[in-house]
Amino acid sequence: MIAYIIRRLFYAIPILIGVNLLTFTLFFMVNSPDDMARVHLGVKRVTPEAIELWKADRGYDKPLLYNSKEKGIRSLSNTIFFQHSVSLFVLDFGRADDGRDIGRDIRQRMWPSLAIAVPTFIVGILLNITFAMLLAFFRGTYVDVWGVVLSVAMMSISIMFYIILGQLIMSKLWHLVPISGYDTGLRALKFLILPVLIGIVSGIGAGSRLYRTFYLEEINKDYVRTARAKGLSSLQVLFKHVLRNAMVPILTGVVAIIPLLFMGSLVMESFFGIPGLGSYTIDAINQQDFAIVRAMVFLGSLLYIFGLVLTDISYTLVDPRVRLE
Amino acid sequence: MALADNNKTLEVKALKTWIDTEGGIIHAVDGVSFNIRPGETLAILGESGCGKSLTALSILQLIPKPAGRIVSGKVMFSGENLLEKSEQDMREIRGRRIAMIFQEPQSSLNPVMTIGQQIKEVLPDRRNKSAIEINKDIVGLLDSVGMSDSARRIKEYPHQLSGGMKQRAMIAMALASKPDILIADEPTTALDVTIQSQILNLLARLKKENNMSILLITHDLGVVSQMADRVLLMYAGEAVEDADAVNFFVAARHPYAQKLFQSIPDRSKRKKKLDIIPGMVPTYAGDYQGCRFAERCDKAWDLCFQEKPQWRSQDENGVRCHLYNDTLELQDTLNKKIEQEFVTTDEKVTREEILLDVKQLKVHFPIHKGIFRRVVGHVKAVDGISLKVGRGRTVAIVGESGCGKTTAGKAILQLIKPTSGEVIYDGASLTKMAGNELRQLRKNFQIIFQDPYASLNPRMLVGESIAEGLHALKLESSKETIQKRVKKILTQVGMPEEAYARYPHEFSGGQRQRISIARALAVNPELIVCDEPTSALDVSVQAQILNLLNDLQRELSLSYLFITHDISVVEYLAHEVAVMYLGRIVEFGTAADILDNALHPYTQALLSAVPVISRIGNAGNAGHKDGTQFLLAGDIPSPSNPPAGCHFHVRCPQATEICRQQYPGQTRVTGSHTVFCHLFESAPELTGQN
Amino acid sequence: MLDFTFKILVTDALLYILVTAIIIFIVYARKHEHLSAPWRQIKNKKLAMSSFVILLFFVITGFLDSIHIRQEIKIDTESKTQQQVVQYSSEVLSLLDLLLTKLRVQTEKTYSAPFAIHSFTKEVTDDQQGKPKLYYPRLKYGGAHLQAQDSRIYDIGKRLLWALFWTLLVIVLCILLVAKFVVSKNDNKNEKTNLNTKLKTVLSGNTSTPWLTILLVMSIPVFFIASLVELGPFYHIMGTDQVGNDVLYKTIKSIRTGLLIGTLTTLIILPFAIIFGITAGYFRGWVDDLIQYIYTTLSSIPSVLLIAAAILSLEVYMTNNPQSFTTLIDRSDTRLLFLVMILGVMSWTGLCRLLRAETMKIRELDYIQAANSLGVRHRKIMSRHIFPNLMHIVLITVVLDFSGLVLAEAVLSYIGVGVDPTMDSWGNMINGARLEMAREPLVWWNLTAAFVFMFILVLAANIFSDAVRDALDPRLRKA
């Protein structure tokens, strides 16, 4: 098992290099540093000197991939790619185009993101599991039919409608919670209620419908018939036998997401004005701050791969048949 | 039995269970009646789809809902009608008074719960007991079903147990609350023959010890012969005969029963055509006017097609057939005598010409481990087998699951790359060829498979499938000649020409197997590897396919490498037999050598484990050939880690010290008979009077 | 009548290719039982066919909006040039635009509520005394035909009744057509049935294809179109937006954007996913390792960020090369195309993974072994044996992905990395509506219009894809 995890982590290195190369190509091959400088400094009336200065300031004055002026290892290392990518591997994210320390920003902004994502995630999953269980218990009846119809309808609504409607009703009409904003400490609570609630409600449709199919798949299996032949009640069968088996696909699907909770929700945070990593990313996109976007891409990939490894590990925990070799 | 405890008798009266499908309502169980008395084993016998499993599930109200529904009938038990009981009340019956075990122990156990947890759920008074006491009870139960190392098994998950052990765990679970009746739905069908005999013996012993009744659902006449007191034969949703086991095997009344006996291959029918039941089991949708078996019955006359035969019974025996009157005597003399057609294959075919010569063939699959996925070992699926197949001969490879017989077959055809060894076909070494060179030779050797559903591409027309080889090997060029040739082959295997433009799903298992044979024949091969071609088929259909294979061999002088686990098939058609155990051949000889004069203890055990249909009839005791049974203990070890020395020594009753240390060499007993066993090494001149 | 010339945008061309591919598939499927059987099953399901009818109206609208033309401009006879050059307007219009000309050109100054005849915002004017006075001015087009004393409700009601009449006419005509031409083939073995009995069959709902349901569902979009014809030229049915454009027109124009993103993306996905998935699963070994590496790498990148990065790069490229993108429609079309491509590149990995896993299962099946032993070549095995047995997964994924992509467009446009801000799309409408929600009184019609259309499209797609999955996935069929 440990050997497996170590191997998986080794395997992550070429993937991260690939990610870096890809983003690098997108950022520097399509748009030369000159283009970027011009975008930042204003397209018209920039002197070549200003551009050179801008580039030198940010280390973009070096060759892209291969420095012919240098010798030996330096010909590879004294390049934009090396300087801006290798440091990412030790989680040194460098500075944003406006000079801020990206690493510090991330450490600071991950807490609001987590404050929304974690409760949404946990309560959402518990609710989905429960609703799906209800649908499965009443399978074939009208409860099930209308439950599924409702789920499909709910998942057909864009997240942004949930948010806008939620803000309209909860904040504008009923004045229950503030419409947006954030605060420190416990005072943040009142700002969190609405986004968390909307996050949960918007996920119920898709989640409970998916989990329902997991349950139904299990209910048709032979061991359920055995359990019934043993004289167990429907509820015992559902809770003791079916639930535990259905947890295998549910949990493993869910575990992969856990690390990505760090990244925050782009839409939610920007609608509610929450200073998390999601809105950080959006701001960077809108300000065309490539350094931040690159850092977030790297962080996202890293967390994704971490999620894959976690998924494998969680398999061994919920399914005794799986052993990592 | 005279003092029948009425309270424990199960009586099923006119049970009807229907299933709703998109194609209409299927009358899956259509008025079945029977009863089981205490201490009795009733076998419900029938081919697939006859409604036998559904009958058993209906008793416990476990039929799949909402598709299935019990339409009418009564299931009387303890003076109550079980069918009127609510789900709540049924729980008091299920598992407690009537328990059930199923065919697939693999899927019938919950994969994420330990054996102990699953047994604990059914312990009757688990709430008043401490954990230690419960543990003791479970261990006791597992011990009583012959589970080895029970204390450790409690904490194990189903996947850690072998098939036989899983079935023992199922039985332990069923017996936990000492039920009056045990329903066993094909309990040994998924198991190997040596394990099957262990489980059957266990069931017989437990029945005696606990004085319970068993309702045994099976398609296997051998199992019925070994286990049953009474037999209920079902056909297309109806009971057609109910008889005492002795009577049933000596003088079955219903023509269907008689035909079943005649269609089973065995030695006595060698070189004769098997008596087949034409056609296939009807889909029992809709109403029948006459007898359901009439279309396939060679004794049927007008009345059989017009009027449904009534159930006639006397003294607990009953039959549903127009041939019999109310006292179950044969009514008329229309009973035609069927001539058994003799096939004249002379034994002395040119034995000199060797078509296929396999030398020390090995197929090893590497096992990777560790950070760098180093190869730490090999699964030795095939570990050095040598055999020869003569032109026009049938060589059978016999062995239990996991012995490597299928891998060997595929490696011989170069469908799996052998690790080492040589395969020489008609003088050409296949193992040294590759690419086009090999492709050109492929027309000479073909393969047919076990599963008729996986062996045809569902997206291709039957004709396209058969013609594929002709295209690929460029044997024919014009469209017309190909079509003509394919249609000719279809007729040859007994299929209508119209099958050409239809899809596989329109055909039954037996017909698909014919199509697979046609596909192999299309390229005019000389050798066909038959990988268990009949083991997924019903007995009556199996006979059709075996006859076809026999006919084709005679007409086209084909050679067969026949891979099977079924001894009766081997007895019927093999010229030479190779017995495999854990990747190696342990004994090789002519059919007579192996079947009459088996030397290797494993071969002997394998032969004796096969339940033989005894016409004398015998309940409880095994009806084996020589009366004695040679029961093998333990499971088949994993081929990734075979025991040192002789692979068989752990299960061998005659193992000695040398068996534990050294794999035995080849001993030639007679010109045709070789064996790998230390018992015979010292006496090379042994002529084998076992 | 002015002459015109066709202008084929790149996305139009891709859509034509897709439609052609679908038609070829239908023709091919009709000849192959295993392909047409599941569709026949869908054809007989009420819910599936209802959603299909709705989808069909969306598709037709989107398709009409994808045939673009440039109209000829009348050049004055005293034109300076001597040559008789035919000049075309730089304005590119679609067939849909021409059909909805009234809606397109009747723009007001600013916001107005649905069916309003007065503006939503006050204007200052001098009253008779010359003092400035705030008032709600009459709209230029909305309800312009009404005299002061006319009742607006009465007028709308009258026009709706006409719309109802047209709808009934169309539906009755359709019922007659169905009864005459379709029913006899499948549902009546008796050849000599007259029209009367056929009509009864249709109206009783006893046809295998649920014609009655289909026609009833069809009456909804038909009524919508009839109302549009009756009311559209005289009122702003869904009001107008900030710059006075008709909201309903914008919403209808957004259909094309949603459809293109939902369908063209899959067109990009399919070749990648199918070729890579099958080769990886079939050959395994290093080919598999390489393909797995590619898709793990791609899917590990947060998709929004990669899309953002790609769109940003495109923007920079466009600013630096203005000469390649002269017209607004070229710009927005290029951006749409680029978005579709990057969405495709991001999302082929899921299907590829599924196909790889399924190929690995299929290649072990006996019929592949049989093909091997018959000497069939790898390419042929992959195309004749494996691909046809994966077809159902491909189709299920395509229909399942559609609704997700439509929803994704809205989110991306909101973030600012979706389609061009000048392009009509529901995402852009929602983005704009966000600020309108803060207005007092509420400007609700922009959001509502986008919501209703998007919800209907996505819901219909979801229901339809459910039916497709049930019909095509044999594993789910028993449940």
Coordinates of all heavy atoms in Angstrom, one line a residue, chain A residues 3 12 60 70 81 101 111 157 166 184 191 203 220 228 237 258 261 266 293 301 322:
Chain A
A3 N 4.0 1.4 -0.8 CA 4.7 1.4 -2.1 C 3.8 2.0 -3.2 O 4.3 2.7 -4.0 CB 5.1 0.0 -2.4
A12 N 3.0 11.6 -10.2 CA 2.5 12.9 -10.3 C 3.5 13.9 -10.9 O 3.1 14.9 -11.5 CB 2.1 13.4 -8.9
Y60 N 10.7 38.4 -17.1 CA 10.2 37.9 -18.4 C 11.2 38.3 -19.5 O 10.9 38.1 -20.7 CB 8.8 38.5 -18.8 CG 7.7 38.0 -17.9 CD1 6.6 38.7 -17.7 CD2 7.8 36.7 -17.2 CE1 5.5 38.3 -16.9 CE2 6.8 36.3 -16.4 CZ 5.7 37.1 -16.2 OH 4.7 36.6 -15.4
E70 N 24.0 31.0 -22.3 CA 24.5 30.4 -21.1 C 25.1 29.0 -21.5 O 24.8 28.5 -22.5 CB 23.4 30.2 -20.0 CG 22.8 31.5 -19.6 CD 23.6 32.2 -18.5 OE1 24.6 31.7 -18.1 OE2 23.2 33.4 -18.2
F81 N 10.8 29.7 -18.5 CA 10.0 28.5 -18.1 C 10.6 27.9 -16.8 O 9.9 27.7 -15.9 CB 10.2 27.4 -19.2 CG 9.5 26.1 -18.8 CD1 8.1 26.0 -18.6 CD2 10.3 25.0 -18.5 CE1 7.6 24.8 -18.2 CE2 9.7 23.8 -18.1 CZ 8.3 23.7 -18.0
D101 N 2.6 39.0 -2.8 CA 3.1 37.7 -2.6 C 2.0 36.7 -2.8 O 1.0 36.7 -2.0 CB 3.8 37.6 -1.2 CG 4.3 36.2 -1.0 OD1 4.1 35.3 -1.9 OD2 4.8 35.9 0.1
W111 N -9.2 30.4 3.9 CA -10.1 30.2 5.0 C -11.5 30.6 4.6 O -12.4 29.7 4.9 CB -9.6 30.9 6.2 CG -8.3 30.4 6.6 CD1 -7.1 31.1 6.6 CD2 -8.0 29.1 7.1 NE1 -6.1 30.2 7.0 CE2 -6.6 29.0 7.3 CE3 -8.8 27.9 7.3 CZ2 -5.9 27.9 7.8 CZ3 -8.1 26.8 7.8 CH2 -6.7 26.8 8.0
I157 N -31.7 23.7 -13.5 CA -31.7 25.2 -13.2 C -30.2 25.6 -13.0 O -29.5 24.9 -12.3 CB -32.5 25.5 -12.0 CG1 -34.0 25.1 -12.2 CG2 -32.4 27.0 -11.6 CD1 -34.8 25.2 -11.0
G166 N -32.1 33.4 -4.5 CA -31.8 33.3 -3.1 C -31.6 34.7 -2.5 O -32.2 35.0 -1.5
T184 N -14.7 39.0 9.6 CA -13.8 38.1 10.2 C -14.5 37.4 11.4 O -15.5 37.8 11.9 CB -12.5 38.8 10.8 OG1 -13.0 39.9 11.5 CG2 -11.7 39.3 9.6
F191 N -22.9 36.0 7.0 CA -22.6 36.1 5.5 C -22.5 34.7 4.9 O -22.6 34.6 3.7 CB -21.3 36.8 5.3 CG -21.4 38.3 5.7 CD1 -20.8 38.7 6.9 CD2 -22.0 39.2 4.8 CE1 -20.9 40.0 7.2 CE2 -22.0 40.5 5.2 CZ -21.5 40.9 6.4
G203 N -27.3 21.5 -5.3 CA -26.7 20.2 -5.5 C -27.6 19.1 -5.3 O -27.3 17.9 -5.7
N220 N -30.7 -4.7 -6.7 CA -30.9 -5.8 -7.6 C -29.9 -6.9 -7.5 O -30.0 -7.8 -8.2 CB -31.0 -5.3 -9.1 CG -32.2 -4.5 -9.4 OD1 -33.3 -4.8 -8.8 ND2 -32.1 -3.4 -10.1
R228 N -32.8 -10.9 2.5 CA -34.3 -11.0 2.7 C -34.6 -12.4 3.0 O -35.5 -12.7 3.9 CB -35.0 -10.6 1.4 CG -35.0 -9.1 1.2 CD -35.8 -8.6 0.1 NE -37.2 -8.9 0.3 CZ -38.1 -9.2 -0.7 NH1 -37.7 -9.3 -1.9 NH2 -39.4 -9.5 -0.4
V237 N -32.4 -4.4 5.6 CA -31.7 -4.7 4.4 C -31.1 -3.4 3.8 O -29.9 -3.4 3.5 CB -32.6 -5.4 3.4 CG1 -32.0 -5.5 2.0 CG2 -33.1 -6.7 3.9
I258 N -12.7 16.3 -2.3 CA -12.3 17.0 -1.1 C -11.1 17.9 -1.2 O -11.2 19.1 -0.8 CB -12.0 15.9 0.0 CG1 -13.3 15.2 0.4 CG2 -11.4 16.6 1.3 CD1 -13.2 14.1 1.4
L261 N -11.8 21.4 -2.6 CA -12.6 22.3 -1.8 C -11.8 23.6 -1.5 O -12.3 24.7 -1.4 CB -13.1 21.7 -0.5 CG -14.1 20.6 -0.6 CD1 -14.4 20.0 0.8 CD2 -15.4 21.0 -1.3
L266 N -15.9 29.6 -7.7 CA -15.8 30.8 -8.4 C -17.1 31.7 -8.4 O -17.0 32.8 -8.0 CB -15.4 30.6 -9.9 CG -14.2 29.8 -10.2 CD1 -14.0 29.6 -11.7 CD2 -13.0 30.5 -9.6
V293 N -2.9 33.3 -12.1 CA -3.6 32.2 -12.8 C -2.8 31.0 -12.9 O -3.2 29.8 -12.6 CB -4.1 32.6 -14.2 CG1 -4.7 31.5 -15.0 CG2 -5.1 33.8 -14.2
S301 N -4.1 21.4 -10.1 CA -3.6 20.1 -10.6 C -3.0 19.3 -9.4 O -3.3 18.1 -9.3 CB -2.5 20.3 -11.6 OG -2.9 21.2 -12.6
V322 N -10.7 -4.5 -2.3 CA -9.7 -3.7 -3.0 C -8.4 -3.7 -2.2 O -8.4 -3.3 -1.0 CB -10.2 -2.3 -3.3 CG1 -9.1 -1.5 -4.0 CG2 -11.4 -2.3 -4.2

